[in-house]
Amino acid sequence: FFFQAEDGIRDYKVTGVQTCALPIFNRNNRTSDSQRAFELVDADAVTISHLRITGGWDGVFITGGSANVTLENLEIFENANTGVNVNDNASSGFTLRDSVLWGDNADGNRNQDYDAYVRGTNPSILRNRLSKINGQGGWGLYLDSPGTILVQDNQAWNNTHGLYVRGDVFRSEEHTSELQSPCNLVCRLL
């Protein structure tokens, strides 16, 4: 799917059937950096939920000043570069919540180097699980954002870099995120 402002995309929702097994959206092309399962350019108030997203260079790519995009209740896995990529600081109000993101380190086209790479302004990253299988590698969450950020109740494991968070102002609501090493040691980020 490709969403761009010229298409009049505002307040749009893509929701899979809410059953025991989430429907799968497979881009089936991991070899080209322009192949994304979902690409949002200057798209505002878009919600994507209740899907399994795989098979792209990026699972969900957000850029061009997109505002108030919400990704929720998703499984984003085995993409080549990123599961979620908020590519510019002009994109604001991004929310990623209640989702599972993972890559397979046995295959360089399925390892999802970054489960979530976020540069947008004022993001919220809530209650997600970010991991790798078949060996340790890549990034769980890489967040480098201006503005106020909220990161809480996330778990990252079997990544070389679990949670990297840098921002201007951190908002906390007395919750924690967990970073688990391969030895199951837990560090809490407040």
Side-chain angles (χ1 to χ4, degrees):
F1 280 119
F2 178 79
F3 297 103
Q4 191 164 11
E6 288 82 30
D7 298 332
I9 301 299
R10 298 285 186 267
D11 299 318
Y12 194 81
K13 293 186 180 187
V14 177
T15 302
V17 177
Q18 297 176 30
T19 62
C20 293
L22 297 176
I24 191 165
F25 188 91
N26 189 344
R27 179 68 174 93
N28 205 23
N29 188 343
R30 296 177 176 90
T31 58
S32 171
D33 66 1
S34 65
Q35 304 303 314
R36 287 118 180 190
F38 288 88
E39 183 171 353
L40 286 70
V41 178
D42 193 19
D44 297 343
V46 172
T47 298
I48 301 173
S49 67
H50 296 92
L51 292 173
R52 298 177 72 212
I53 300 171
T54 190
W57 180 259
D58 300 300
V60 180
F61 185 83
I62 300 166
T63 193
S66 296
N68 302 315
V69 171
T70 299
L71 305 180
E72 61 186 3
N73 300 304
L74 300 170
E75 180 181 10
I76 304 174
F77 65 102
E78 294 187 348
N79 295 285
N81 184 44
T82 65
V84 174
N85 186 341
V86 181
N87 193 257
D88 65 330
N89 288 337
S91 292
S92 62
F94 169 73
T95 299
L96 173 64
R97 65 178 168 229
D98 304 317
S99 296
V100 176
L101 297 87
W102 61 274
D104 184 349
N105 282 323
D107 183 337
N109 283 326
R110 296 176 186 271
N111 64 342
Q112 199 162 278
D113 296 326
Y114 294 85
D115 290 325
Y117 178 91
V118 180
R119 287 183 45 212
T121 305
N122 302 324
S124 295
I125 312 296
L126 311 166
R127 301 176 303 276
N128 301 290
R129 294 183 297 160
L130 308 110
S131 66
K132 302 291 185 280
I133 62 171
N134 293 317
Q136 186 178 16
W139 296 78
L141 169 65
Y142 180 96
L143 189 153
D144 187 356
S145 174
T148 301
I149 63 173
L150 176 60
V151 176
Q152 72 183 31
D153 296 337
N154 296 284
Q155 296 179 339
W157 68 95
N158 218 24
N159 302 288
T160 302
H161 310 281
L163 301 171
Y164 173 86
V165 179
R166 183 176 136 186
D168 294 337
V169 178
F170 296 88
R171 192 175 73 180
S172 174
E173 296 178 5
E174 297 183 22
H175 296 275
T176 62
S177 289
E178 293 182 357
L179 170 61
Q180 297 182 2
S181 77
C183 302
N184 293 319
L185 298 173
V186 176
C187 300
R188 295 197 180 271
L189 304 174
L190 296 175

